[in-house]
Amino acid sequence: MLVNQQYNILFYDKGFIQVEFIISGSNFIKERLAFMKKHNKIWDAEEIKKYESNDEDRFTEDFGVPIMLRIDYTPDDLVEEDHVVTHLTLSKVLH
């Protein structure tokens, strides 16, 4: 992860953030920030404690609505009126 400038944060509610940077000198060449969550369930403190204390796979449940948010910054990919420098992608998949 550190060689490729990629960082991941995993949350107890099955969501995670991934950040990737390409830096040259003091300039950002490319950046991506993504937030993904398997479902829209909000976990309470008791559920978090339960999953901390056992080895259950927290990613096998099949309920809720998957959510994805992604922000890309790619100044070298700019094409006037076709591809902007920064863009936001929102996704919600219904089963």
Side-chain angles (χ1 to χ4, degrees):
M1 281 181 5
L2 295 176
V3 171
N4 296 320
Q5 301 300 309
Q6 297 176 357
Y7 305 91
N8 297 288
I9 301 168
L10 176 63
F11 298 105
Y12 285 109
D13 67 356
K14 302 181 185 182
F16 71 92
I17 293 176
Q18 181 182 60
V19 180
E20 180 178 4
F21 298 100
I22 299 175
I23 301 170
S24 177
S26 62
N27 298 317
F28 278 91
I29 304 301
K30 193 178 242 187
E31 177 270 330
R32 181 184 72 225
L33 176 120
F35 169 75
M36 290 171 247
K37 188 171 178 192
K38 183 173 180 206
H39 56 68
N40 57 348
K41 178 180 178 3
I42 298 173
W43 288 33
D44 63 30
E46 289 302 315
E47 290 172 307
I48 290 171
K49 286 180 188 176
K50 174 187 167 196
Y51 280 102
E52 280 184 327
S53 65
N54 62 34
D55 292 330
E56 288 182 42
D57 182 357
R58 295 184 289 159
F59 295 92
T60 58
E61 293 147 345
D62 191 25
F63 59 85
V65 178
I67 299 167
M68 194 272 292
L69 176 142
R70 179 174 161 168
I71 301 169
D72 293 284
Y73 172 73
T74 53
D76 291 343
D77 294 345
L78 174 65
V79 177
E80 289 295 329
E81 300 181 22
D82 188 36
H83 191 274
V84 296
V85 171
T86 303
H87 60 275
L88 169 67
T89 304
L90 301 171
S91 176
K92 181 171 80 167
V93 180
L94 299 174
H95 294 267

XYZ file of all heavy atoms in Angstrom:
801
model
N 0.820 -1.197 0.000
C 0.000 0.000 0.000
C 0.860 1.255 0.000
O 0.570 2.190 -0.736
C -0.920 0.019 1.215
C -2.123 -0.839 1.073
S -3.274 -0.838 2.489
C -2.669 0.334 3.624
N 1.901 1.292 0.821
C 2.690 2.515 0.927
C 3.494 2.792 -0.335
O 3.682 3.939 -0.714
C 3.612 2.441 2.140
C 2.906 2.403 3.488
C 3.917 2.240 4.615
C 2.077 3.656 3.699
N 3.945 1.736 -1.028
C 4.704 1.929 -2.261
C 3.840 2.595 -3.321
O 4.275 3.486 -4.034
C 5.235 0.571 -2.770
C 5.843 0.718 -4.153
C 6.256 0.013 -1.798
N 2.583 2.190 -3.426
C 1.667 2.742 -4.423
C 0.863 3.927 -3.912
O -0.057 4.387 -4.576
C 0.704 1.652 -4.910
C 1.436 0.553 -5.633
O 2.362 0.809 -6.396
N 1.056 -0.676 -5.373
N 1.187 4.417 -2.697
C 0.473 5.551 -2.097
C -1.032 5.271 -1.989
O -1.859 6.112 -2.303
C 0.733 6.836 -2.881
C 2.196 7.227 -2.963
C 2.815 7.450 -1.586
O 2.274 8.177 -0.782
N 3.938 6.828 -1.321
N -1.394 4.059 -1.570
C -2.788 3.672 -1.368
C -3.015 3.447 0.119
O -2.202 2.818 0.784
C -3.116 2.385 -2.121
C -2.984 2.500 -3.609
C -3.232 1.172 -4.290
O -3.450 0.157 -3.645
N -3.199 1.194 -5.597
N -4.131 3.952 0.595
C -4.476 3.826 2.008
C -5.924 3.361 2.116
O -6.784 3.831 1.381
C -4.293 5.170 2.722
C -2.899 5.716 2.544
C -2.599 6.569 1.485
C -1.883 5.343 3.403
C -1.313 7.053 1.305
C -0.589 5.819 3.237
C -0.317 6.675 2.178
O 0.954 7.138 1.999
N -6.187 2.441 3.039
C -7.520 1.896 3.244
C -7.893 1.992 4.713
O -7.066 1.730 5.579
C -7.571 0.421 2.826
C -7.290 0.239 1.362
O -8.108 0.570 0.531
N -6.101 -0.266 1.033
N -9.159 2.333 4.963
C -9.694 2.371 6.321
C -10.959 1.526 6.314
O -11.878 1.796 5.540
C -10.030 3.810 6.757
C -8.782 4.691 6.697
C -10.638 3.807 8.158
C -9.080 6.170 6.841
N -10.999 0.503 7.174
C -12.163 -0.369 7.287
C -12.917 -0.003 8.551
O -12.337 0.097 9.627
C -11.721 -1.832 7.349
C -12.817 -2.871 7.561
C -13.801 -2.874 6.385
C -12.196 -4.250 7.737
N -14.231 0.195 8.422
C -15.086 0.552 9.547
C -15.882 -0.655 10.026
O -16.105 -1.596 9.279
C -16.060 1.669 9.137
C -15.373 2.941 8.728
C -15.284 3.288 7.395
C -14.802 3.779 9.669
C -14.647 4.452 7.005
C -14.168 4.944 9.294
C -14.086 5.287 7.954
N -16.330 -0.607 11.277
C -17.113 -1.700 11.843
C -18.437 -1.909 11.118
O -18.987 -2.994 11.137
C -17.395 -1.459 13.335
C -16.198 -1.691 14.194
C -15.552 -0.630 14.794
C -15.705 -2.968 14.405
C -14.440 -0.823 15.592
C -14.592 -3.185 15.195
C -13.969 -2.112 15.781
O -12.873 -2.318 16.554
N -18.967 -0.889 10.492
C -20.270 -1.027 9.832
C -20.150 -1.546 8.405
O -21.060 -1.415 7.617
C -21.019 0.304 9.846
C -20.342 1.360 8.987
O -19.255 1.104 8.443
O -20.922 2.447 8.863
N -19.023 -2.157 8.074
C -18.750 -2.752 6.778
C -18.481 -1.735 5.685
O -18.471 -2.062 4.517
C -19.873 -3.695 6.352
C -20.120 -4.801 7.327
C -21.200 -5.704 6.841
C -21.504 -6.726 7.900
N -22.487 -7.657 7.487
N -18.259 -0.516 6.050
C -17.881 0.488 5.072
C -16.371 0.636 5.059
O -15.688 0.233 5.988
N -15.850 1.168 3.959
C -14.425 1.473 3.952
C -14.139 2.660 3.043
O -14.905 2.990 2.146
C -13.567 0.256 3.578
C -13.645 -0.170 2.144
C -12.743 0.309 1.204
C -14.612 -1.079 1.731
C -12.808 -0.086 -0.112
C -14.679 -1.485 0.410
C -13.780 -0.994 -0.515
N -13.027 3.294 3.336
C -12.536 4.409 2.538
C -11.207 3.978 1.941
O -10.360 3.405 2.639
C -12.338 5.673 3.392
C -13.686 6.200 3.885
C -11.596 6.751 2.595
C -13.578 7.384 4.822
N -11.051 4.241 0.659
C -9.775 3.988 -0.003
C -9.307 5.296 -0.627
O -10.082 5.981 -1.299
C -9.913 2.926 -1.081
C -8.586 2.626 -1.767
C -8.737 1.608 -2.870
O -9.475 1.835 -3.810
N -8.047 0.492 -2.727
N -8.043 5.643 -0.398
C -7.461 6.864 -0.942
C -6.179 6.472 -1.661
O -5.386 5.682 -1.148
C -7.130 7.878 0.175
C -6.537 9.142 -0.415
C -8.362 8.205 0.991
N -6.006 7.012 -2.857
C -4.794 6.754 -3.633
C -4.273 8.072 -4.185
O -5.049 8.887 -4.689
C -5.099 5.797 -4.779
C -3.916 5.472 -5.633
C -4.246 4.490 -6.734
O -5.418 4.113 -6.893
O -3.316 4.110 -7.451
N -2.967 8.286 -4.064
C -2.343 9.520 -4.529
C -1.173 9.199 -5.441
O -0.433 8.247 -5.196
C -1.765 10.327 -3.360
C -2.770 10.787 -2.366
C -2.944 10.113 -1.180
C -3.533 11.912 -2.616
C -3.866 10.543 -0.242
C -4.460 12.360 -1.685
C -4.627 11.668 -0.498
N -0.989 10.009 -6.452
C 0.254 10.022 -7.214
C 0.755 11.460 -7.123
O 0.068 12.396 -7.538
C 0.049 9.590 -8.677
C -0.483 8.158 -8.725
C 1.353 9.734 -9.459
C -0.828 7.668 -10.117
N 1.949 11.631 -6.543
C 2.498 12.959 -6.281
C 3.858 13.061 -6.959
O 4.668 12.133 -6.894
C 2.642 13.203 -4.767
C 1.280 13.079 -4.076
C 3.278 14.556 -4.489
C 1.340 13.062 -2.569
N 4.100 14.187 -7.603
C 5.398 14.458 -8.209
C 5.889 15.799 -7.665
O 5.281 16.831 -7.953
C 5.278 14.508 -9.736
O 6.527 14.837 -10.314
N 6.942 15.751 -6.877
C 7.420 16.971 -6.232
C 6.367 17.481 -5.272
O 5.950 16.788 -4.361
N 5.882 18.698 -5.502
C 4.820 19.248 -4.652
C 3.474 19.278 -5.373
O 2.550 19.943 -4.930
C 5.203 20.667 -4.201
O 5.334 21.505 -5.339
N 3.352 18.552 -6.484
C 2.114 18.551 -7.274
C 1.387 17.212 -7.191
O 2.016 16.154 -7.273
C 2.413 18.841 -8.744
C 3.018 20.207 -8.940
O 2.569 21.166 -8.332
N 4.035 20.281 -9.772
N 0.074 17.289 -7.055
C -0.761 16.096 -7.159
C -0.941 15.795 -8.639
O -1.446 16.623 -9.396
C -2.149 16.329 -6.538
C -2.171 16.175 -5.055
C -1.946 17.255 -4.223
C -2.413 14.940 -4.490
C -1.963 17.119 -2.848
C -2.437 14.781 -3.112
C -2.207 15.873 -2.295
N -0.537 14.613 -9.060
C -0.701 14.197 -10.447
C -2.057 13.524 -10.624
O -2.744 13.717 -11.616
C 0.430 13.223 -10.868
C 1.792 13.863 -10.641
C 0.254 12.758 -12.297
C 2.032 15.153 -11.373
N -2.431 12.739 -9.631
C -3.702 12.012 -9.683
C -4.123 11.690 -8.264
O -3.287 11.426 -7.403
C -3.521 10.729 -10.491
C -4.792 10.034 -10.898
C -4.469 8.807 -11.737
C -5.086 9.004 -13.098
N -4.979 7.807 -13.927
N -5.448 11.695 -8.016
C -5.973 11.369 -6.690
C -7.313 10.673 -6.863
O -8.078 10.988 -7.764
C -6.150 12.650 -5.872
C -6.754 12.443 -4.504
C -8.269 12.528 -4.510
O -8.834 13.251 -5.341
O -8.900 11.832 -3.695
N -7.548 9.688 -6.019
C -8.855 9.018 -6.000
C -9.235 8.784 -4.551
O -8.442 8.293 -3.751
C -8.799 7.679 -6.728
C -10.190 6.997 -6.725
C -10.178 5.631 -7.355
N -9.503 4.718 -6.460
C -8.601 3.831 -6.843
N -8.244 3.717 -8.076
N -8.035 3.039 -5.956
N -10.456 9.144 -4.210
C -11.004 8.881 -2.891
C -12.317 8.137 -3.111
O -13.175 8.597 -3.868
C -11.277 10.186 -2.129
C -11.948 9.945 -0.781
C -11.076 10.473 0.334
C -13.300 10.582 -0.755
N -12.436 6.980 -2.497
C -13.663 6.194 -2.652
C -14.181 5.799 -1.280
O -13.417 5.426 -0.393
C -13.404 4.944 -3.483
N -15.495 5.889 -1.117
C -16.171 5.408 0.082
C -17.167 4.362 -0.381
O -17.968 4.610 -1.286
C -16.909 6.532 0.799
C -17.826 6.021 1.884
C -17.307 5.579 3.084
C -19.191 5.951 1.685
C -18.143 5.078 4.083
C -20.037 5.459 2.673
C -19.505 5.025 3.875
N -17.089 3.176 0.187
C -18.013 2.109 -0.167
C -18.558 1.478 1.106
O -17.842 1.326 2.092
C -17.322 1.062 -1.025
C -17.007 1.573 -2.412
S -15.974 0.454 -3.336
C -14.495 1.445 -3.445
N -19.815 1.121 1.038
C -20.471 0.473 2.170
C -21.385 -0.596 1.607
O -22.139 -0.349 0.675
C -21.257 1.499 2.979
C -21.793 0.955 4.257
C -22.373 2.054 5.118
C -22.937 1.417 6.357
N -23.752 2.290 7.127
N -21.294 -1.800 2.168
C -22.068 -2.922 1.638
C -23.565 -2.717 1.788
O -24.347 -3.158 0.970
C -21.648 -4.219 2.315
C -22.379 -5.398 1.733
C -21.896 -6.703 2.245
C -22.703 -7.777 1.579
N -22.820 -8.972 2.271
N -23.983 -2.035 2.843
C -25.417 -1.835 3.060
C -25.654 -0.565 3.862
O -24.726 0.040 4.378
C -26.045 -3.036 3.756
C -25.389 -3.374 5.056
N -25.452 -2.566 6.160
C -24.621 -4.413 5.405
C -24.776 -3.112 7.149
N -24.256 -4.222 6.713
N -26.888 -0.179 3.969
C -27.235 1.058 4.672
C -27.652 0.828 6.123
O -28.237 1.693 6.733
C -28.328 1.813 3.918
C -29.573 0.973 3.719
O -29.567 -0.229 3.936
N -30.645 1.596 3.276
N -27.320 -0.325 6.691
C -27.622 -0.625 8.097
C -26.708 0.200 9.001
O -25.516 0.318 8.747
C -27.408 -2.108 8.366
C -27.633 -2.527 9.802
C -27.397 -4.020 9.934
C -27.528 -4.605 11.292
N -27.912 -3.856 12.396
N -27.248 0.761 10.048
C -26.463 1.492 11.037
C -26.287 0.580 12.246
O -27.253 0.136 12.843
C -27.155 2.810 11.432
C -27.266 3.708 10.201
C -26.386 3.495 12.561
C -28.066 4.964 10.417
N -25.046 0.288 12.595
C -24.744 -0.627 13.689
C -24.744 0.126 15.016
O -24.267 1.245 15.098
C -23.373 -1.247 13.496
C -23.324 -2.252 12.391
C -24.051 -2.231 11.243
C -22.502 -3.394 12.318
N -23.725 -3.292 10.459
C -22.774 -4.026 11.099
C -21.552 -3.927 13.158
C -22.137 -5.187 10.700
C -20.905 -5.089 12.760
C -21.203 -5.711 11.552
N -25.264 -0.544 16.058
C -25.189 0.054 17.392
C -23.975 -0.522 18.136
O -23.302 -1.428 17.655
C -26.486 -0.142 18.169
C -26.802 -1.601 18.447
O -25.879 -2.428 18.587
O -28.002 -1.930 18.535
N -23.693 0.019 19.315
C -22.502 -0.369 20.075
C -22.502 -1.854 20.436
O -21.452 -2.500 20.417
C -22.385 0.482 21.336
N -23.662 -2.413 20.744
C -23.734 -3.832 21.106
C -23.372 -4.728 19.922
O -22.685 -5.735 20.093
C -25.136 -4.182 21.630
C -25.431 -3.595 22.985
C -24.434 -4.037 24.053
O -24.099 -5.236 24.121
O -23.973 -3.159 24.812
N -23.837 -4.384 18.729
C -23.498 -5.177 17.544
C -21.998 -5.112 17.252
O -21.385 -6.113 16.890
C -24.280 -4.694 16.328
C -25.754 -5.021 16.408
C -26.552 -4.367 15.296
O -26.442 -3.134 15.139
O -27.253 -5.103 14.582
N -21.418 -3.959 17.423
C -19.977 -3.806 17.207
C -19.204 -4.663 18.200
O -18.280 -5.387 17.834
C -19.566 -2.324 17.303
C -20.120 -1.557 16.102
C -18.038 -2.182 17.377
C -19.969 -0.056 16.200
N -19.586 -4.643 19.471
C -18.924 -5.472 20.490
C -19.041 -6.953 20.159
O -18.087 -7.714 20.323
C -19.519 -5.197 21.867
C -19.095 -3.883 22.463
C -19.733 -3.685 23.826
C -19.462 -2.284 24.348
N -20.139 -2.036 25.616
N -20.213 -7.375 19.697
C -20.433 -8.780 19.332
C -19.461 -9.199 18.237
O -18.829 -10.249 18.323
C -21.872 -8.983 18.857
C -22.147 -10.357 18.326
C -23.526 -10.448 17.707
C -23.644 -11.726 16.920
N -24.764 -11.727 16.007
N -19.319 -8.401 17.198
C -18.448 -8.770 16.092
C -16.969 -8.641 16.443
O -16.139 -9.334 15.870
C -18.781 -7.958 14.842
C -19.985 -8.515 14.138
C -21.226 -7.921 14.260
C -19.886 -9.668 13.367
C -22.335 -8.444 13.628
C -20.980 -10.202 12.738
C -22.209 -9.583 12.861
O -23.301 -10.122 12.234
N -16.624 -7.781 17.382
C -15.230 -7.692 17.830
C -14.814 -8.950 18.575
O -13.649 -9.327 18.558
C -15.041 -6.495 18.762
C -14.905 -5.187 18.061
C -14.630 -4.060 19.048
O -15.132 -4.123 20.191
O -13.923 -3.139 18.663
N -15.756 -9.610 19.238
C -15.423 -10.733 20.101
C -15.476 -12.095 19.411
O -15.214 -13.104 20.043
C -16.366 -10.750 21.310
O -17.694 -11.002 20.886
N -15.809 -12.162 18.120
C -15.829 -13.458 17.449
C -15.194 -13.357 16.062
O -14.814 -12.295 15.602
C -17.241 -14.033 17.382
C -18.181 -13.150 16.593
O -17.785 -12.515 15.631
N -19.433 -13.095 16.994
N -15.094 -14.491 15.403
C -14.433 -14.549 14.092
C -15.421 -14.613 12.933
O -15.065 -15.070 11.848
C -13.509 -15.768 14.031
C -12.319 -15.621 14.959
O -11.905 -14.471 15.186
O -11.814 -16.649 15.450
N -16.656 -14.186 13.130
C -17.632 -14.224 12.055
C -17.213 -13.308 10.907
O -16.606 -12.264 11.116
C -19.007 -13.770 12.556
C -19.680 -14.771 13.458
C -21.051 -14.278 13.878
O -21.775 -13.731 13.029
O -21.387 -14.444 15.052
N -17.560 -13.711 9.708
C -17.279 -12.895 8.530
C -18.351 -11.818 8.423
O -19.506 -12.105 8.138
C -17.274 -13.768 7.278
C -16.939 -12.987 6.028
O -16.760 -11.758 6.099
O -16.854 -13.621 4.962
N -17.983 -10.576 8.638
C -18.945 -9.473 8.648
C -19.400 -9.088 7.247
O -20.240 -8.230 7.076
C -18.334 -8.256 9.336
C -18.055 -8.497 10.786
C -17.540 -7.266 11.447
N -16.185 -6.974 10.989
C -15.622 -5.781 11.069
N -16.277 -4.774 11.571
N -14.404 -5.597 10.647
N -18.863 -9.709 6.216
C -19.196 -9.315 4.850
C -20.101 -10.323 4.136
O -20.280 -10.250 2.935
C -17.910 -9.108 4.046
C -17.108 -7.964 4.577
C -16.130 -8.170 5.523
C -17.362 -6.672 4.153
C -15.401 -7.108 6.033
C -16.644 -5.601 4.665
C -15.665 -5.823 5.601
N -20.698 -11.267 4.870
C -21.517 -12.285 4.223
C -23.016 -11.994 4.267
O -23.772 -12.634 3.562
C -21.278 -13.673 4.855
O -21.581 -13.585 6.253
C -19.844 -14.121 4.660
N -23.447 -11.056 5.094
C -24.868 -10.765 5.173
C -25.365 -10.162 3.864
O -24.632 -9.484 3.166
C -25.155 -9.799 6.327
C -24.889 -10.425 7.666
C -24.391 -9.390 8.657
O -24.004 -8.303 8.223
O -24.383 -9.690 9.844
N -26.637 -10.425 3.553
C -27.184 -9.969 2.285
C -28.458 -9.158 2.530
O -29.562 -9.634 2.316
C -27.473 -11.172 1.385
C -27.797 -10.744 -0.034
O -27.367 -9.649 -0.444
O -28.481 -11.506 -0.733
N -28.303 -7.940 3.013
C -29.449 -7.053 3.212
C -29.001 -5.623 3.025
O -27.814 -5.313 3.055
C -30.066 -7.240 4.605
C -29.109 -6.991 5.732
C -28.882 -5.705 6.212
C -28.408 -8.041 6.304
C -28.002 -5.476 7.252
C -27.518 -7.810 7.348
C -27.323 -6.528 7.807
N -29.950 -4.747 2.808
C -29.635 -3.332 2.687
C -29.296 -2.911 1.270
O -29.406 -3.674 0.320
N -28.853 -1.678 1.133
C -28.558 -1.076 -0.163
C -27.072 -0.725 -0.225
O -26.597 0.081 0.573
C -29.396 0.213 -0.358
C -29.069 0.880 -1.675
C -30.878 -0.097 -0.254
N -26.308 -1.329 -1.157
C -24.896 -0.965 -1.294
C -24.759 0.496 -1.731
O -25.549 0.995 -2.526
C -24.387 -1.895 -2.394
C -25.379 -3.005 -2.454
C -26.695 -2.417 -2.045
N -23.747 1.172 -1.201
C -23.536 2.591 -1.478
C -22.075 2.795 -1.895
O -21.168 2.216 -1.294
C -23.826 3.432 -0.218
C -25.282 3.252 0.203
C -23.476 4.893 -0.442
C -25.574 3.775 1.592
N -21.855 3.626 -2.928
C -20.501 3.937 -3.358
C -20.417 5.409 -3.727
O -21.302 5.944 -4.386
C -20.109 3.086 -4.563
C -18.624 3.091 -4.881
S -17.997 4.375 -5.964
C -18.699 3.983 -7.520
N -19.361 6.059 -3.269
C -19.090 7.449 -3.595
C -17.616 7.516 -3.984
O -16.761 6.965 -3.292
C -19.342 8.316 -2.364
C -19.032 9.795 -2.465
C -20.087 10.564 -1.712
C -17.666 10.113 -1.971
N -17.321 8.133 -5.123
C -15.934 8.197 -5.587
C -15.647 9.580 -6.151
O -16.448 10.126 -6.910
C -15.709 7.127 -6.648
C -14.320 7.127 -7.210
C -14.138 5.960 -8.136
N -13.012 6.197 -9.007
C -12.473 5.282 -9.768
N -12.959 4.056 -9.774
N -11.462 5.566 -10.545
N -14.489 10.133 -5.768
C -14.043 11.427 -6.285
C -12.684 11.205 -6.947
O -11.770 10.652 -6.333
C -13.903 12.471 -5.163
C -15.239 12.670 -4.458
C -13.376 13.785 -5.722
C -15.156 13.481 -3.188
N -12.578 11.609 -8.206
C -11.327 11.477 -8.953
C -10.802 12.856 -9.324
O -11.575 13.731 -9.731
C -11.546 10.671 -10.234
C -11.880 9.232 -9.955
O -10.962 8.481 -9.610
O -13.060 8.864 -10.089
N -9.501 13.027 -9.225
C -8.818 14.249 -9.655
C -7.708 13.811 -10.608
O -6.757 13.131 -10.207
C -8.233 14.977 -8.445
C -7.347 16.144 -8.804
C -7.900 17.325 -9.292
C -5.975 16.070 -8.647
C -7.095 18.403 -9.616
C -5.165 17.143 -8.962
C -5.721 18.302 -9.453
O -4.930 19.369 -9.773
N -7.863 14.156 -11.899
C -6.907 13.734 -12.916
C -6.644 14.888 -13.887
O -7.191 14.919 -14.991
C -7.443 12.506 -13.690
O -8.749 12.806 -14.184
C -7.506 11.279 -12.814
N -5.807 15.852 -13.508
C -5.595 17.023 -14.359
C -5.008 16.694 -15.728
O -5.297 17.385 -16.707
C -4.651 17.899 -13.537
C -4.069 17.020 -12.508
C -5.041 15.908 -12.280
N -4.212 15.645 -15.828
C -3.627 15.288 -17.126
C -4.638 14.676 -18.088
O -4.365 14.551 -19.280
C -2.452 14.325 -16.945
C -1.254 14.996 -16.295
O -1.205 16.247 -16.277
O -0.372 14.272 -15.798
N -5.812 14.262 -17.581
C -6.846 13.653 -18.436
C -7.876 14.661 -18.923
O -8.885 14.275 -19.508
C -7.565 12.532 -17.679
C -6.635 11.360 -17.376
O -5.554 11.290 -17.992
O -6.992 10.523 -16.530
N -7.636 15.952 -18.701
C -8.589 16.982 -19.110
C -8.766 16.999 -20.627
O -7.800 17.035 -21.378
C -8.116 18.367 -18.652
C -8.955 19.553 -19.136
C -10.362 19.494 -18.552
C -8.272 20.863 -18.796
N -10.030 16.905 -21.044
C -10.400 17.069 -22.452
C -11.556 18.063 -22.444
O -12.626 17.772 -21.904
C -10.835 15.731 -23.098
C -11.290 15.958 -24.538
C -9.717 14.704 -23.023
N -11.336 19.247 -23.003
C -12.360 20.298 -22.987
C -13.704 19.757 -23.465
O -13.779 19.089 -24.492
C -11.938 21.476 -23.871
C -10.794 22.289 -23.303
C -11.146 23.008 -22.015
O -12.307 23.390 -21.809
O -10.216 23.191 -21.196
N -14.763 20.029 -22.685
C -16.148 19.648 -22.972
C -16.372 18.139 -23.043
O -17.406 17.686 -23.527
C -16.644 20.316 -24.258
C -16.612 21.828 -24.184
C -17.118 22.488 -25.447
O -17.859 21.849 -26.209
O -16.753 23.653 -25.659
N -15.391 17.341 -22.571
C -15.570 15.890 -22.618
C -15.199 15.216 -21.291
O -15.918 14.365 -20.804
C -14.742 15.291 -23.752
C -15.038 13.826 -23.980
O -16.213 13.431 -23.839
O -14.100 13.065 -24.293
N -14.055 15.582 -20.705
C -13.603 14.968 -19.458
C -13.033 16.051 -18.557
O -12.023 16.669 -18.888
C -12.543 13.899 -19.740
C -12.234 13.046 -18.550
N -11.295 13.405 -17.590
C -12.742 11.861 -18.144
C -11.239 12.480 -16.667
N -12.107 11.530 -16.970
N -13.675 16.259 -17.419
C -13.245 17.313 -16.483
C -12.082 16.839 -15.616
O -11.802 15.647 -15.538
C -14.424 17.777 -15.602
C -15.497 18.434 -16.449
C -14.993 16.626 -14.804
N -11.436 17.770 -14.937
C -10.297 17.452 -14.069
C -10.753 16.693 -12.825
O -10.149 15.718 -12.423
C -9.552 18.748 -13.666
C -8.509 18.471 -12.608
C -8.920 19.384 -14.883
N -11.845 17.130 -12.220
C -12.378 16.489 -11.014
C -13.811 16.065 -11.272
O -14.596 16.826 -11.826
C -12.352 17.470 -9.820
O -11.014 17.916 -9.634
C -12.842 16.804 -8.559
N -14.132 14.839 -10.885
C -15.527 14.420 -11.011
C -15.916 13.505 -9.859
O -15.087 12.881 -9.228
C -15.804 13.761 -12.372
C -14.994 12.536 -12.658
N -13.738 12.591 -13.184
C -15.283 11.240 -12.492
C -13.272 11.378 -13.350
N -14.187 10.531 -12.921
N -17.206 13.492 -9.597
C -17.802 12.725 -8.511
C -18.719 11.671 -9.095
O -19.513 11.950 -9.982
C -18.622 13.672 -7.608
C -19.538 13.050 -6.566
C -18.720 12.335 -5.491
C -20.423 14.106 -5.945
N -18.578 10.459 -8.601
C -19.445 9.349 -9.015
C -20.221 8.890 -7.791
O -19.634 8.577 -6.748
C -18.617 8.171 -9.573
O -17.800 8.644 -10.633
C -19.512 7.057 -10.061
N -21.533 8.839 -7.908
C -22.407 8.324 -6.858
C -23.082 7.077 -7.400
O -23.555 7.061 -8.527
C -23.479 9.352 -6.480
C -22.973 10.683 -5.974
C -24.131 11.659 -5.845
C -22.257 10.518 -4.657
N -23.169 6.061 -6.579
C -23.789 4.825 -7.032
C -24.618 4.225 -5.922
O -24.222 4.206 -4.765
C -22.699 3.824 -7.453
O -23.270 2.599 -7.812
N -25.754 3.730 -6.305
C -26.624 3.001 -5.388
C -27.193 1.845 -6.189
O -27.842 2.056 -7.206
C -27.727 3.920 -4.849
C -28.647 3.243 -3.885
C -29.561 4.243 -3.223
C -30.711 4.584 -4.138
N -31.787 5.308 -3.479
N -26.943 0.621 -5.766
C -27.386 -0.552 -6.504
C -28.522 -1.217 -5.742
O -28.371 -1.539 -4.566
C -26.226 -1.556 -6.684
C -26.691 -2.769 -7.455
C -25.053 -0.892 -7.380
N -29.638 -1.421 -6.390
C -30.768 -2.112 -5.775
C -30.803 -3.543 -6.280
O -30.614 -3.808 -7.449
C -32.077 -1.397 -6.117
C -32.180 0.052 -5.644
C -33.463 0.676 -6.169
C -32.104 0.138 -4.134
N -31.070 -4.474 -5.375
C -31.127 -5.905 -5.753
C -32.538 -6.260 -6.136
O -33.494 -5.890 -5.600
C -30.682 -6.776 -4.591
C -29.250 -6.582 -4.259
N -28.262 -7.364 -4.782
C -28.611 -5.653 -3.497
C -27.087 -6.958 -4.325
N -27.286 -5.929 -3.545
